[in-house]
Amino acid sequence: RISEITFHAGVTEYSKYSFCSCYGTERFIVEAGNPAMKTVDGVLFSADGKTLLRYPPKKAGDHYDVPAGVETIADYAFDGCQNLHGVTLPMGVRHIGWGAFSECVRLESIVIPPTLREIQAYAFSDCVNLHNLRLPQGVQVVCDEETLAEINSWDGYEWKPEVYVFFNTPRLEAYPEWD
């Protein structure tokens, strides 16, 4: 139920887990002089604008065009976003983090540029309406060995890391081709 979160100028560290359950957040504010973070239209970025840290889960609007210059979509950056139906990533994005779009239940499509090189596990988990997604060739899936071992112990089947990128995305007709 926290609709607005302010980072004072002296707050210079951001934890990817800090706001995972703050699904009522409509905007972030970063005070002037903060050397580590900034906001653009209520969205939280690293100070240099190269990393999108967190999109407010309850931000108004059903589509978001990530600004040019962003290279990394941080872990849990869009986690639980309730209003988004579509996201467009700009040329230059190279990395999508762990759970970056997890639980975006209304998300239907994501436009991903050919510059993407790495995607982490659970990036699109529980995106139950996602049906329009194309990944460029050569994208590497990153899933640490500890996580793979834990998940594979659940049913004894040895899953490939690619499966975890799209965990519980039933509307995707087929997963992309992987190198």
Side-chain angles (χ1 to χ4, degrees), residues 136-159:
Q137 288 186 345
V139 172
Q140 179 183 24
V141 176
V142 177
C143 188
D144 63 87
E145 293 299 321
E146 184 178 314
T147 301
L148 277 176
E150 177 186 339
I151 295 169
N152 287 333
S153 72
W154 294 344
D155 61 8
Y157 182 79
E158 191 166 325
W159 296 91

Side-chain angles (χ1 to χ4, degrees), residues 28-87:
F28 293 99
I29 298 171
V30 175
E31 285 185 348
N34 187 307
M37 295 173 273
K38 70 177 183 177
T39 53
V40 176
D41 195 26
V43 180
L44 186 64
F45 293 88
S46 60
D48 63 7
K50 292 182 179 183
T51 301
L52 190 154
L53 297 170
R54 188 74 167 116
Y55 184 90
K58 206 162 183 178
K59 182 174 173 53
D62 64 0
H63 188 88
Y64 183 64
D65 291 321
V66 175
V70 171
E71 297 174 2
T72 299
I73 306 299
D75 295 354
Y76 302 107
F78 287 87
D79 175 60
C81 288
Q82 302 162 23
N83 297 327
L84 285 176
H85 290 254
V87 174

Side-chain angles (χ1 to χ4, degrees), residues 99-165:
F101 293 91
S102 62
E103 297 186 35
C104 291
V105 296
R106 291 190 176 105
L107 189 63
E108 296 174 0
S109 68
I110 299 176
V111 177
I112 296 178
T115 55
L116 183 69
R117 293 293 168 252
E118 187 175 272
I119 189 167
Q120 288 191 309
Y122 298 107
F124 302 103
S125 68
D126 298 305
C127 292
V128 295
N129 283 302
L130 182 62
H131 64 271
N132 186 2
L133 173 71
R134 298 183 85 164
L135 294 175
Q137 288 186 345
V139 172
Q140 179 183 24
V141 176
V142 177
C143 188
D144 63 87
E145 293 299 321
E146 184 178 314
T147 301
L148 277 176
E150 177 186 339
I151 295 169
N152 287 333
S153 72
W154 294 344
D155 61 8
Y157 182 79
E158 191 166 325
W159 296 91
K160 292 182 178 181
E162 296 87 54
V163 172
Y164 302 114
V165 172

